């Protein structure tokens, strides 16, 4: 993968949903990957990203929402 898809700071990289950082952190719905913190709307999105981040960082990946 040559370049990563642009993901906003408060965007769930799997589904594209806007996520409140404080809420995500309080619920344990964050993950650090390559030095960047990603926020997730729920556990399902977090687990999908954790298992295969390259898929969701690919510029061809359309967020699910």
């Amino acid at each position: 993968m040559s370049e990563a898809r642009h993901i906003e700071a408060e965007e769930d990289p799997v589904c594209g949903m806007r996520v409140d950082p404080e809420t995500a952190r309080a619920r344990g719905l964050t993950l650090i990957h390559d030095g960047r913190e990603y926020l997730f709307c729920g556990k399902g999105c977090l687990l999908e990203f954790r298992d295969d981040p390259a898929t969701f960082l690919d510029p061809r990946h359309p967020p699910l929402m």
Side-chain angles (χ1 to χ4, degrees):
M1 178 173 66
S2 60
E3 70 178 69
R5 176 173 71 89
H6 176 74
I7 300 168
E8 297 292 332
E10 296 179 359
E11 176 186 349
D12 181 318
V14 176
C15 69
M17 187 173 174
R18 294 303 242 196
V19 179
D20 177 66
E22 290 181 28
T23 301
R25 289 181 192 116
R27 294 182 178 169
L29 297 173
T30 65
L31 184 74
I32 304 294
H33 175 73
D34 284 343
R36 177 179 172 181
E37 178 185 49
Y38 292 94
L39 309 172
F40 301 92
C41 66
K43 189 173 181 178
C45 284
L46 182 146
L47 295 175
E48 284 190 52
F49 185 87
R50 182 199 66 191
D51 292 345
D52 188 13
T55 293
F56 303 103
L57 297 175
D58 188 310
R60 297 169 294 184
H61 170 74
L64 304 173
M65 290 189 88

